[in-house]
Amino acid sequence: MTSEATLTAVRQSVVEALGVPADDVRPEATIFGDLAAESIDLLDILFRVERKLGVKIKAADLSEYVQGGIPDEQFGEEGGTVSAVGLAHLKTVMPQIDEAALAGKLQAERVITLFTVQNLADMVTARAGAGVR
Amino acid sequence: MLRIGVDLIEVARVERLLADHPGAGEEIFSERELAYANRSSRPAERLAGRFAVKEAVLKAFGTGLGQRMRWTEVEVINEPLGRPRVELHGEVARWAERRRVTAVEVSLSHAAGLAVAQAAVQLDG
């Protein structure tokens, strides 16, 4: 379970990296959708998280966390939509998603746009618990 | 099949990232890219161009920075007359091989504090 301190540090990192008002960085805000972060902003956020919490996460680690190490050909169907296996995993790391509504519709390359501030805080918590420092 | 990707980035954004986070340069750029940039009086401009190329290539692939991929695995090299080309390494190279990528062409430019890059990727099949 993500502590308030971890969530606060992640939210501060996002605010500082993106230069957006703190009120906009709600836990449920999607980082690449609602907050319009780009790749370079993600790098900035992750470096700030490392400095505040001592947890090192590389940009590719985020893709691996979201995809769960599932090979591309199992994660996505022919045509690029996320498979049932992929959606089942996504529900574990992004519990806010509506699996039924996304079934057969979610393009694999759009998955990352559903990733929220809370999801990032949960990832940081998981990595800290795994001793990734 | 031909796929394209494009990226536009503020030089100052790259400069700020590198200034704020020691170690960011080595995580994003190869030794050759850093050395090339540091030979210039405006290294941030060169690095921004290289970052834009990396993004443009990954957009053309349609992956973004996928599982196990590193920014340094799309490396921008300048040919003797200055034309940029990319070398793929590691997981990015393995992805390109699996998808039968036969050619990656890139172009980049800078002006008014911005760097822009375009990539065209040929997939066989």
Side-chain angles (χ1 to χ4, degrees), chain B residues 18-33:
Chain B
L18 298 174
D20 285 353
H21 308 294
E26 287 73 19
E27 186 166 322
I28 304 167
F29 303 104
S30 71
E31 282 183 24
R32 283 192 288 190
E33 288 171 328

Side-chain angles (χ1 to χ4, degrees), chain A residues 16-17 38-41 43-44 47-48 51 56-61 63-64 67-72 109, chain B residues 9 13-14 16-17 20-24 27-28 51 55 62 65-71 95 98-99:
Chain A
E16 290 165 10
E38 300 189 357
S39 298
I40 195 160
D41 300 319
L43 283 161
D44 201 342
F47 280 117
R48 289 177 193 279
R51 193 177 306 158
K56 176 67 179 171
I57 297 174
K58 292 193 171 186
D61 297 341
S63 302
E64 184 144 20
Q67 198 168 326
I70 300 169
D72 291 351
E109 63 189 35
Chain B
I9 193 164
R13 182 71 185 92
V14 174
R16 180 159 69 90
L17 180 82
D20 285 353
H21 308 294
E27 186 166 322
I28 304 167
F51 189 84
E55 272 274 76
L65 195 70
Q67 295 192 102
R68 294 179 292 279
M69 292 180 181
R70 303 289 177 214
W71 284 108
W95 186 95
R98 283 198 300 276
R99 299 300 167 96

Side-chain angles (χ1 to χ4, degrees), chain A residues 84-111:
Chain A
V85 170
L87 274 176
H89 170 72
L90 289 180
K91 187 70 180 170
T92 68
V93 291
M94 296 193 280
Q96 76 278 6
I97 66 167
D98 182 342
E99 263 180 289
L102 294 173
K105 294 178 188 163
L106 179 61
Q107 290 288 314
E109 63 189 35
R110 301 284 303 160
V111 166

